[in-house]
Amino acid sequence: MHYYSTRNKNEPFSFAQAALGGLAPDGGLFIPETIPPYRETVKHCLGSMSFLETACETIGPYTKDEIPAQVLEEICAGAFSFNAPLVPAGRGSMASPLGDTQASSLEDSRASGAPFPLMLELFHGPTAAFKDFGARFMARTFSWLRRGEDQPLHILVATSGDTGGAVADGFFGVEGISVTVLYPKGRVSELQEKQIAGLGGTISALAVEGSFDDCQALVKGAFGDAALREKLALSSANSINISRLIPQAVYYAAAAGKVMEGRWDPDGEATPVSAKVGTQKKAPVTAPDRHFKGGPVSFCVPSGNFGNLTAGLYARAMGAPIAGFIAATNINKTVPDYLENGEYKTRLSQATISNAMDVGAPSNFERMAAHWTYGEMQRMIRGISVTDDETRKTISDVYQECGYYLDPHGAVGWTALQKLTASAGITGPTAVLATAHPAKFAETVEALTGPVPIPLSIQKALGRKAQSKTIPADLAALRDVLLNG
Ligand SMILES: *Cc1c(COP(=O)(O)O)cnc(C)c1O
């Protein structure tokens, strides 16, 4: 498989070059020459394959010339050491398909035929957000691709909150690789800061006086800086990195396979349900609504930089049974606006309670646009934006009615789905990607629900002390820190 820059279809790169390079030399993003279809036998068996099998079948075609199957299997087994359960959020009062409890906004939407969403819980990994999938795969892949090299590799990563923690954790202790994480000072939660800046060792943290877009611009600037590139072997680890994006296609395929067969999973260890529901659900669960007839699922994806959604598009293009996508954003609605009127206008990011999605210039859009036309995107994706007030109301309503704790990002997804199903027919099964555990955003969530159960991964991180250096949003300052410490 060859890889090309989104800006130049003439110069091929290997997977190793694309992964380790991060950004293409011309500033474009790497894309595979084709999106390889699943083998027919695989396509129809996704629902009964193990996560590891699905991972190898999904990622294998992208790496097969360079990573032996056996090695890939080891990388995947190490990276995906936790699962991605697909659970019905509503039990207890919500479990009855006809909604025999008091009317409420959620019940109303169900009574009007809105499908009741499943939650694809992507927060069972060590930093309690979906970015663990990509970051852990990338760290193990880099380590293998760099075997036998003497020059240390330096990873630069800009984060709006969750990427930094996932990358720091994924690379912590990986030999021959050091990491510098740039995050917007004061715009990440205390826990996120501890996850980013609490490990120490080969992981350095820079608090940038500016926004996430500033952090991202600094990283791009560093890659374009000849003086830096001469002295350091630089690589990126943002969602622009193709080796982070491809593994994210795995959970879409695995979940779509299950929904196709009308199945879901039992709760995982970190599933955030209130104790009340925890006891009730020991009784047999009534299948909520029409999901369980099975069929192609529509995924609702809380989106910021659009790496996650792009990975979903890859899974669909490979042949996973996915009807379509909802691109759910907070008020940073560059892509929903584009889908509506065909004009792509980036803007400054605005701070919201779903801060991992505060992106005004989504970097993966360039990749989406290189693969698909506007018309194709319009047919596959519905865009919708959600305000903080709506998000808070959803967190509160869903907790009241289901005993399920949504984090602000998942709540943007839930709200978007509700708004869309109310206005236009999405008739098949639906799943919202729960991109982070609510305990990661306890300050916001607990004000609406009361105490949230804290998973073990987060308890560990909270015990650490954040140590970072503050810099202005200025390339010279970054250059100085990187070269002189
Ligand atoms: C990063 C992140 C998102 C946005 O994902 P993109 O791939 O950037 O669109 C959504 N939710 C959470 C919790 C995140 O950490």
Side-chain angles (χ1 to χ4, degrees):
M1 172 80 72
H2 289 134
Y3 291 79
Y4 292 91
S5 165
T6 45
R7 299 179 192 176
N8 177 2
K9 300 285 156 62
N10 297 316
E11 191 187 351
F13 293 84
S14 66
F15 173 74
Q17 287 171 321
L20 294 169
L23 212 58
D26 60 8
L29 277 65
F30 285 113
I31 51 170
E33 61 186 321
T34 58
I35 298 180
Y38 285 117
R39 296 182 281 146
E40 278 305 307
T41 46
V42 170
K43 202 155 101 185
H44 301 294
C45 292
L46 286 168
S48 52
M49 284 159 56
S50 70
F51 196 84
L52 182 58
E53 285 169 328
T54 305
C56 293
E57 288 293 342
T58 304
I59 303 169
Y62 294 96
T63 58
K64 69 176 189 316
D65 316 325
E66 296 168 66
I67 304 181
Q70 179 63 33
V71 173
L72 178 65
E73 191 176 331
E74 282 163 25
I75 289 173
C76 290
F80 311 134
S81 55
F82 47 90
N83 50 22
L86 184 70
V87 306
R91 280 150 292 211
S93 66
M94 288 292 283
S96 161
L98 292 176
D100 51 10
T101 54
Q102 288 150 346
S104 67
S105 53
L106 286 171
E107 289 294 341
D108 289 347
S109 75
R110 296 181 64 216
S112 69
F116 181 64
L118 291 158
M119 301 306 292
L120 177 55
E121 293 184 345
L122 302 176
F123 50 66
H124 292 253
T127 71
F130 81 87
K131 296 191 173 73
D132 282 329
F133 287 91
R136 290 170 64 84
F137 177 85
M138 178 177 61
R140 282 158 183 76
T141 300
F142 276 25
S143 176
W144 190 79
L145 292 173
R146 297 273 303 176
R147 68 199 181 287
E149 294 271 350
D150 330 320
Q151 198 194 11
L153 186 68
H154 200 104
I155 308 263
L156 275 187
V157 55
T159 184
S160 57
D162 280 342
T163 294
V167 169
D169 196 275
F171 279 100
F172 185 61
V174 172
E175 220 173 292
I177 302 181
S178 60
V179 176
T180 299
V181 183
L182 289 78
Y183 65 97
K185 187 179 167 106
R187 290 213 200 171
V188 302
S189 73
E190 185 191 333
L191 171 66
Q192 285 176 329
E193 191 162 32
K194 286 184 172 178
Q195 289 176 327
I196 293 164
L199 288 167
T202 51
I203 316 291
S204 311
L206 297 176
V208 174
E209 292 170 326
S211 67
F212 168 65
D213 292 335
D214 293 323
C215 295
Q216 196 152 259
L218 279 182
V219 169
K220 279 199 177 169
F223 278 103
D225 188 294
L228 271 178
R229 299 218 69 153
E230 200 179 300
K231 298 219 172 71
L232 299 174
L234 287 183
S235 184
S236 84
N238 282 88
S239 59
I240 53 174
N241 195 299
I242 191 73
S243 72
R244 249 191 65 184
L245 194 115
I246 291 167
Q248 291 178 1
V250 177
Y251 47 74
Y252 285 97
K258 280 178 217 165
V259 177
M260 197 64 198
E261 295 186 0
R263 290 193 294 110
W264 76 94
D265 295 310
D267 287 357
E269 209 170 296
T271 292
V273 287
S274 80
K276 200 177 69 191
V277 173
T279 34
Q280 278 181 18
K281 75 172 193 273
K282 295 212 175 74
V285 177
T286 313
D289 284 40
R290 57 184 81 163
H291 290 103
F292 301 98
K293 291 187 198 128
V297 63
S298 296
F299 284 114
C300 182
V301 188
S303 295
N305 253 323
F306 281 77
N308 203 5
L309 191 109
T310 304
L313 293 169
Y314 277 36
R316 184 177 184 277
M318 291 179 79
I322 299 171
F325 298 88
I326 296 164
T329 68
N330 57 32
I331 52 166
N332 294 285
K333 57 189 177 89
T334 303
V335 172
D337 281 354
Y338 165 75
L339 289 168
E340 184 148 330
N341 60 32
E343 268 176 70
Y344 186 71
K345 272 206 218 122
T346 63
R347 49 199 96 179
L348 291 176
S349 64
Q350 300 187 60
T352 73
I353 58 170
S354 47
N355 66 29
M357 314 199 307
D358 293 350
V359 183
S363 49
N364 276 287
F365 182 79
E366 181 166 337
R367 191 173 261 142
M368 291 164 69
H371 283 297
W372 295 285
T373 64
Y374 173 59
E376 286 168 333
M377 281 195 243
Q378 264 195 323
R379 282 191 289 280
M380 294 188 287
I381 313 166
R382 311 278 297 274
I384 186 154
S385 85
V386 171
T387 66
D388 277 358
D389 284 347
E390 292 171 317
T391 307
R392 285 199 182 89
K393 181 167 189 317
T394 294
I395 293 173
S396 170
D397 286 353
V398 171
Y399 174 69
Q400 292 292 327
E401 293 168 38
C402 310
Y404 189 90
Y405 300 88
L406 288 170
D407 98 289
H409 306 79
V412 166
W414 184 299
T415 314
L417 183 63
Q418 242 190 319
K419 284 171 83 166
L420 262 187
T421 38
S423 69
I426 288 181
T427 51
T430 51
V432 175
L433 272 62
T435 49
H437 193 283
K440 278 200 95 160
F441 301 92
E443 288 141 58
T444 304
V445 177
E446 291 191 338
L448 301 160
T449 64
V452 175
I454 303 181
L456 201 64
S457 57
I458 290 185
Q459 288 172 26
K460 278 193 205 157
L462 283 171
R464 300 185 195 127
K465 187 174 179 318
Q467 282 183 306
S468 61
K469 187 170 197 157
T470 298
I471 64 164
D474 172 34
L475 184 58
L478 176 62
R479 190 190 298 122
D480 183 54
V481 172
L482 290 176
L483 293 177
N484 309 314

